Amino acid sequence: MSIIGAGNLASHLYRTFIHNDEIQLEKIFSRKAGRLSFVQENELKSHSLEELGDPDIIFLAVKDEAIVEVAQKLSIKNGFFVHCSGGNELKVLSEFENHGVFYPLQTFSKDKRIDFRNIPICIEANSEENLQKLKDFASLVSEKVFEVDSEKRRALHLAAVFVNNFTNHLYTIASDFCSENGIPFDILKPLMKETVSKLDTLPPYSAQTGPAIRNDKKTIMAHMEMLNEEHKKIYKLLTASIQKIHGKEL
Amino acid sequence: MSIIGAGNLASHLYRTFIHNDEIQLEKIFSRKAGRLSFVQENELKSHSLEELGDPDIIFLAVKDEAIVEVAQKLSIKNGFFVHCSGGNELKVLSEFENHGVFYPLQTFSKDKRIDFRNIPICIEANSEENLQKLKDFASLVSEKVFEVDSEKRRALHLAAVFVNNFTNHLYTIASDFCSENGIPFDILKPLMKETVSKLDTLPPYSAQTGPAIRNDKKTIMAHMEMLNEEHKKIYKLLTASIQKIHGKEL
């Protein structure tokens, strides 16, 4: 395998590959030398796209916006190139004879280690043969490998934005709110964990609680008064959306 | 102890109390007999506020909106009455000589069992003596007991709405979105769990990822096109809020 990229995902792929006895990493590429500081083995580092070795699969672990641009710079066209993006179609790599998608449905931050075995990997490829090759490979790193076409992957990526990006932003708002009021954010963690665990036994629609679904106007008004204009807008919109979906529309 | 109420919280308090050897439950009250079907012991059921026994503490585990109304109906005024609400001040019970607050910071659904030992309990009372009494009691059911005054509890309750109610609603939207596209919602669960676990090592501000913080306009536009008007509004507002807080304002 070779990896192109030096961001959060690339660093996690690197760690996963070098710790797996069944996978041999040939090269990890970044234009800027400094960005590969997480790679301990100097012989694996590459700063030229001409030096990717002769890997079975080349992972384009670059920003979504950069995939096409990087692909066009690659002079070798006969490798098996896969991108790792939820939002990009398979066909963005169609100039390569062999191409595919290896999309790990997870959030990656450089400083947080994560076990790949539990990460759902969504795969897609331009031929049955390449799909099998990618499937065999993905099964070496994860127990959850799914064949997902570009259209479904796009929907999944959007769902991931709601459950991860937006949720994390609500955590950020709550965390700031705790700081402002001298409350340790940690006190909310059991609630945050249970909010997710609950869904092992209930669908989220049935798990909904709180002033919006109870249509508890007094509490809703009191909350709104405590918020700044921006957060009030978020509170209002999400409260209305909860009430609408649960038939509590005013 | 006696409990007034028959909702989600009351049923969880009931189960926690009867399974704790150090706690004796005297009565659990509900006006409507049918609502106490989760109580196995007939002798514990009460349908008259005159029959609450002579408990050390009486838990008003009723809806936020009903606390004052129920309190006013109580003919005995010399018990130690505590409400369990995040959004109500201590003083809503000030007509009772002994009063307090026992606020478990957690989300309760009738069909989902939960271990009280890990639930943060926020307590407050009208006197040092009552506070100590409540603290001693709370320590029997939870390892995490915090003294939190009414103002801080109100802020905490608002933060809880963001991290639980609103987050769960985003899960509901994502779940509907999965159904519409023939994707099992379960595939998102490792991501949802990691979104919370990540915060054991990173503050939420630093954990933010996704198209909004990258200002990836192409993906943002593609996502918006996939959403209905209501969900588009939510997407737009939360994306703008992420960009604002992270200095990516357009």
Side-chain angles (χ1 to χ4, degrees):
Chain A
M1 307 298 140
S2 285
I3 301 166
I4 296 177
N8 293 345
L9 175 60
S11 71
H12 283 271
L13 287 178
Y14 157 75
R15 273 195 207 96
T16 303
F17 293 180
I18 55 158
H19 288 115
N20 190 315
D21 291 340
E22 296 179 88
I23 297 173
Q24 200 197 329
L25 181 64
E26 289 210 40
K27 290 287 178 190
I28 175 161
F29 165 87
S30 172
R31 224 172 343 182
K32 292 177 194 145
R35 295 202 67 213
L36 289 177
S37 55
F38 59 86
V39 179
Q40 274 137 35
E41 306 78 2
N42 274 323
E43 69 278 14
L44 294 184
K45 297 181 188 178
S46 160
H47 307 298
S48 155
L49 283 173
E50 312 289 320
E51 293 166 12
L52 290 174
D54 183 26
D56 288 336
I57 307 176
I58 298 160
F59 290 85
L60 284 154
V62 297
K63 278 187 197 173
D64 281 21
E65 323 67 296
I67 294 170
V68 177
E69 191 196 325
V70 172
Q72 281 161 350
K73 283 187 188 152
L74 291 165
S75 50
I76 40 165
K77 304 281 174 194
N78 57 345
F80 180 17
F81 289 89
V82 307
H83 74 63
C84 305
S85 158
N88 275 277
E89 293 185 34
L90 172 67
K91 68 177 184 202
V92 301
L93 294 178
S94 58
E95 63 184 282
F96 301 101
E97 194 183 327
N98 301 299
H99 57 283
V101 181
F102 173 94
Y103 172 49
L105 187 53
Q106 191 49 281
T107 169
F108 299 97
S109 297
K110 251 185 181 159
D111 300 328
K112 170 72 167 72
R113 300 287 167 101
I114 188 164
D115 188 351
F116 248 80
R117 274 173 303 181
N118 296 315
I119 301 178
I121 310 282
C122 304
I123 58 165
E124 187 180 10
N126 71 312
S127 70
E128 273 304 317
E129 199 190 328
N130 284 331
L131 188 65
Q132 192 57 49
K133 199 170 173 180
L134 202 49
K135 199 174 195 169
D136 292 343
F137 172 78
S139 306
L140 296 178
V141 296
S142 170
E143 289 164 9
K144 298 174 181 167
V145 181
F146 301 90
E147 288 171 37
V148 177
D149 66 26
S150 289
E151 201 188 326
K152 281 194 179 170
R153 194 176 56 253
R154 205 167 61 122
L156 202 48
H157 186 236
L158 176 52
V161 166
F162 275 81
V163 305
N164 168 265
N165 302 167
F166 291 167
T167 290
N168 187 73
H169 184 58
L170 297 178
Y171 295 160
T172 307
I173 294 172
S175 164
D176 288 350
F177 207 66
C178 284
S179 304
E180 285 160 22
N181 287 277
I183 302 161
F185 181 54
D186 274 356
I187 200 174
L188 288 166
K189 297 224 173 125
L191 173 62
M192 291 157 58
K193 286 185 178 159
E194 174 64 13
T195 305
V196 180
S197 306
K198 216 175 172 178
L199 306 184
D200 289 338
T201 51
L202 290 172
Y205 183 87
S206 314
Q208 190 67 48
T209 57
I213 194 173
R214 289 200 316 271
N215 198 13
D216 175 356
K217 286 174 201 147
K218 205 182 133 213
T219 302
I220 294 169
M221 291 308 288
H223 281 170
M224 300 264 258
E225 278 170 29
M226 295 165 78
L227 293 165
N228 66 28
E229 282 311 309
E230 187 196 342
H231 296 159
K232 202 181 281 181
K233 268 189 212 161
I234 294 174
Y235 190 100
K236 215 170 166 174
L237 189 61
L238 290 174
T239 294
S241 181
I242 291 169
Q243 298 197 324
K244 188 174 176 189
I245 206 173
H246 289 275
K248 305 265 171 173
E249 224 162 345
L250 301 184
Chain B
M1 308 298 139
S2 285
I3 300 166
I4 297 176
N8 292 346
L9 177 60
S11 72
H12 283 270
L13 288 178
Y14 157 75
R15 274 196 207 97
T16 302
F17 292 0
I18 57 158
H19 288 114
N20 189 318
D21 292 339
E22 297 178 87
I23 297 173
Q24 200 197 330
L25 181 64
E26 289 211 37
K27 290 287 178 192
I28 176 162
F29 165 87
S30 172
R31 225 172 343 183
K32 291 176 194 145
R35 297 204 64 213
L36 290 177
S37 56
F38 60 87
V39 178
Q40 273 137 38
E41 307 78 1
N42 274 323
E43 69 278 15
L44 294 186
K45 297 181 187 178
S46 161
H47 307 297
S48 155
L49 283 173
E50 312 288 320
E51 291 166 13
L52 289 174
D54 183 25
D56 288 335
I57 307 176
I58 298 161
F59 290 85
L60 285 154
V62 297
K63 279 187 197 173
D64 281 21
E65 322 69 294
I67 294 170
V68 176
E69 190 195 326
V70 172
Q72 281 161 351
K73 281 184 188 153
L74 291 165
S75 50
I76 39 162
K77 304 280 177 197
N78 58 345
F80 180 17
F81 290 89
V82 306
H83 74 65
C84 305
S85 158
N88 274 276
E89 293 184 33
L90 171 67
K91 69 179 184 201
V92 300
L93 295 177
S94 58
E95 61 184 282
F96 301 102
E97 194 183 326
N98 301 300
H99 57 282
V101 181
F102 174 95
Y103 172 50
L105 187 53
Q106 193 47 283
T107 169
F108 299 97
S109 297
K110 251 183 181 162
D111 300 328
K112 170 72 168 71
R113 299 289 168 99
I114 188 166
D115 187 351
F116 248 80
R117 273 173 302 180
N118 296 316
I119 301 177
I121 310 283
C122 304
I123 58 165
E124 187 180 8
N126 71 312
S127 69
E128 273 304 316
E129 198 190 330
N130 284 332
L131 188 66
Q132 191 58 49
K133 199 171 174 180
L134 201 51
K135 198 175 197 171
D136 291 344
F137 172 78
S139 306
L140 295 178
V141 297
S142 169
E143 289 164 9
K144 296 173 181 168
V145 180
F146 301 90
E147 289 172 36
V148 177
D149 66 27
S150 289
E151 200 188 326
K152 281 193 178 172
R153 195 176 55 255
R154 207 166 61 122
L156 202 49
H157 186 236
L158 176 53
V161 166
F162 276 80
V163 305
N164 169 266
N165 302 168
F166 291 166
T167 290
N168 187 71
H169 185 58
L170 297 178
Y171 295 159
T172 307
I173 294 172
S175 164
D176 289 351
F177 206 67
C178 285
S179 305
E180 286 159 22
N181 288 279
I183 302 162
F185 181 54
D186 273 357
I187 200 175
L188 287 166
K189 297 226 175 124
L191 173 61
M192 290 157 60
K193 285 185 180 159
E194 174 64 13
T195 305
V196 180
S197 306
K198 217 176 173 177
L199 306 184
D200 290 339
T201 51
L202 290 173
Y205 183 88
S206 314
Q208 190 68 48
T209 56
I213 194 172
R214 289 200 316 270
N215 197 15
D216 174 355
K217 286 175 198 144
K218 204 182 134 212
T219 302
I220 293 168
M221 291 308 288
H223 281 170
M224 299 264 259
E225 276 169 29
M226 297 165 78
L227 294 165
N228 66 29
E229 283 310 309
E230 187 196 342
H231 295 159
K232 202 181 282 181
K233 268 188 212 162
I234 294 173
Y235 190 100
K236 214 170 166 175
L237 189 60
L238 290 174
T239 294
S241 180
I242 291 169
Q243 299 198 323
K244 188 174 176 189
I245 207 174
H246 290 276
K248 306 264 170 175
E249 224 162 347
L250 303 182

